[in-house]
Amino acid sequence: MLAQEGWRIRQKNFQSNIKFSYPNETKAVSVTGGKCELNCAHCGGHYLKGMKALKDIPEGPEGNGLTARSLLISGGCTAEGKVPIAEHIAQIAAMKQNMKYNVHVGLVDEEDIQEIAKVADKVSFDFIGDDATIKEVLGIDRTVSDYVACYQKLKKSCSVIPHICIGLHGGEIRGEYEAIRHLKALGVDGITFIVFTPTKGTRFADCKPPSIEDVLNILASARRELPALPIHLGCMRPGGAYRQELDLWAVRLGINGIVNPVSGAVRLAQNLGLTIERREECCVL
């Protein structure tokens, strides 16, 4: 029933195409290298290890040496929960050239936003809808109202795509539906959903991802609440049999795009009569 309803909503509001993103032409850059002051329970700085450190990128007129169409500019957070992008804005601006930037910012203030707006083509903003999750997973003394306020400020100056991590609290569903309702009220151009993935070496390493059923219920809720809104399934989600099942159901539900879809999802999309639009960059760009 969920899939049938989601598919009907999709057919009513969108053309018969689906975006499959394979972000080989987007490179990830960390402004803090491997350092993060938060050590969040779900990440523990693990994902910074796969990024190129900004300090290792050459400065000067000879160019930055990066062969990419776009950059994901991110990094570890400060103790206050922001990625210190603005501190490095001069170098970031100088190396932009013809590249597009997706900037992952955290809880930035107004002064930072004005600097970020000078370089960002898109801003990715993690939106959390549960106070306890913010405190217990991220370890910062902030609330949902802080995320609402930051999102509102960002929207005034930047093109923002909020990200909702399903099961962020160690696989439990806490605040995801509230996040959708907040974003509906605040106004949004699109949402990317990612799924909690247990990661070795983190405090949540032994947790399980949310059930497929829970994930699909949240995706279906977003489709119902925001019928004309592009919804994407992002790159962070469990692999193996979990991904095989999730990706196929996401297509059936009428999701607009998937990052690195499994081959079965591609075949299913074709069988359902969807025109595949292949992208080589980050899904928000």
Side-chain angles (χ1 to χ4, degrees):
M1 288 297 293
L2 281 180
Q4 292 173 351
E5 181 187 14
W7 187 256
R8 285 196 299 269
I9 294 171
R10 183 199 214 290
Q11 286 184 306
K12 181 179 178 181
N13 291 280
F14 296 97
Q15 296 179 343
S16 297
N17 68 307
I18 189 167
K19 296 176 182 177
F20 288 146
S21 298
Y22 304 85
N24 303 309
E25 290 295 329
T26 301
K27 291 191 175 179
V29 172
S30 170
V31 298
T32 63
K35 180 182 177 183
C36 179
E37 295 181 23
L38 292 187
N39 191 30
C40 298
H42 68 298
C43 172
H46 171 83
Y47 295 97
L48 297 174
K49 297 175 184 177
M51 299 182 183
K52 188 172 184 65
L54 181 66
K55 65 180 179 62
D56 294 334
I57 298 175
E59 297 184 56
E62 68 278 3
N64 55 47
L66 294 170
T67 55
R69 296 182 196 170
S70 54
L71 296 184
L72 165 62
I73 299 179
S74 184
C77 288
T78 66
E80 295 77 32
K82 75 173 180 179
V83 182
I85 302 290
E87 296 176 16
H88 306 275
I89 207 70
Q91 182 182 354
I92 291 169
M95 70 187 201
K96 193 172 195 294
Q97 299 176 41
N98 294 321
M99 290 189 294
K100 291 176 287 185
Y101 282 176
N102 172 22
V103 185
H104 177 225
V105 297
L107 288 171
V108 285
D109 55 33
E110 185 68 47
E111 186 176 347
D112 288 339
I113 291 170
Q114 295 311 310
E115 293 298 307
I116 291 164
K118 296 176 183 177
V119 299
D121 295 280
K122 295 286 183 181
V123 167
S124 289
F125 181 70
D126 297 327
F127 197 99
I128 303 174
D130 177 64
D131 289 345
T133 297
I134 297 166
K135 290 180 172 62
E136 296 168 19
V137 179
L138 277 63
I140 55 176
D141 189 23
R142 305 296 285 270
T143 65
V144 174
S145 62
D146 292 308
Y147 282 80
V148 168
C150 184
Y151 176 70
Q152 288 176 308
K153 292 174 185 175
L154 280 165
K155 274 194 71 195
K156 293 178 181 178
S157 302
C158 305
S159 175
V160 189
I161 302 296
H163 286 49
I164 297 175
C165 182
I166 302 173
L168 177 61
H169 205 299
E172 297 180 17
I173 303 304
R174 296 194 189 184
E176 288 84 348
Y177 292 101
E178 289 79 2
I180 292 168
R181 287 195 285 270
H182 276 297
L183 291 169
K184 180 180 179 180
L186 294 166
V188 63
D189 296 326
I191 298 178
T192 294
F193 286 92
I194 56 177
V195 182
F196 164 70
T197 305
T199 301
K200 187 177 179 179
T202 67
R203 299 199 300 280
F204 282 169
D206 295 327
C207 294
K208 293 183 179 179
S211 70
I212 295 284
E213 182 180 4
D214 280 340
V215 175
L216 296 177
N217 282 332
I218 290 166
L219 294 177
S221 176
R223 177 51 82 217
R224 283 194 302 269
E225 293 290 324
L226 299 156
L229 185 83
I231 297 172
H232 285 76
L233 189 59
C235 51
M236 186 180 188
R237 60 193 192 279
Y242 188 104
R243 182 175 292 211
Q244 292 285 341
E245 184 176 358
L246 175 58
D247 286 12
L248 267 67
W249 276 113
V251 173
R252 295 186 187 105
L253 265 173
I255 297 303
N256 300 92
I258 303 176
V259 180
N260 291 324
V262 299
S263 57
V266 177
R267 290 193 298 271
L268 176 60
Q270 292 170 329
N271 291 338
L272 290 171
L274 295 174
T275 300
I276 293 172
E277 185 178 337
R278 183 184 173 103
R279 300 287 188 89
E280 302 292 335
E281 298 178 73
C282 180
C283 68
V284 307
L285 291 170

